[in-house]
Amino acid sequence: APSIYFRIPRDGAVVAPTFDVAFGLKNYGVAPAGVNLANTGHFHVLIDVAPPAPGVVIPADSLRRHFGGGQIETALTLAPGRYTLRLVLADHEHKVIGPQLVSAPIRITVRKR
């Protein structure tokens, strides 16, 4: 079965305001948005929001970061505070593929500079 997860940061991590994020994916492929290949998708990071239902388009805004170029890592910048992050793999149209491709939430704390 496919699975999606954060390689970094780990649940409970305390991070700087700008921190590295690496996406993990098993038994599924990565393709850029707009490329319609079976069993592939692209990553989205959700910040303090629940994932949409399968088949629903993930909006693009400050709480829903899109990585439609097929990126598997990035750096995020967040204000100091506590956050819940979730990874979601979406299809070529930014639609949630299914619950198996929504990660477990992780909680992080962004420290002050």
Side-chain angles (χ1 to χ4, degrees):
S3 64
I4 185 172
Y5 55 94
F6 286 93
R7 291 187 300 130
I8 56 172
R10 298 280 187 204
D11 188 34
V14 177
V15 299
T18 297
F19 59 98
D20 291 332
V21 180
F23 315 142
L25 182 65
K26 289 183 181 175
N27 300 322
Y28 221 77
V30 176
V35 176
N36 187 7
L37 293 173
N39 300 316
T40 67
H42 63 280
F43 290 99
H44 299 75
V45 175
L46 278 55
I47 304 164
D48 288 340
V49 295
V56 174
V57 172
I58 299 171
D61 58 32
S62 64
L63 300 178
R64 296 162 190 90
R65 310 281 176 94
H66 287 237
F67 298 94
Q71 301 95 315
I72 59 169
E73 58 187 18
T74 191
L76 292 180
T77 301
L78 296 173
R82 293 185 178 158
Y83 297 90
T84 299
L85 305 180
R86 210 182 269 271
L87 276 177
V88 178
L89 203 73
D91 69 11
H92 64 287
E93 296 178 321
H94 299 283
K95 293 178 182 175
V96 177
I97 295 169
Q100 74 279 18
L101 291 168
V102 175
S103 76
I106 64 166
R107 287 159 188 83
I108 63 164
T109 300
V110 176
R111 67 176 181 262
K112 294 181 180 174
R113 295 182 193 265

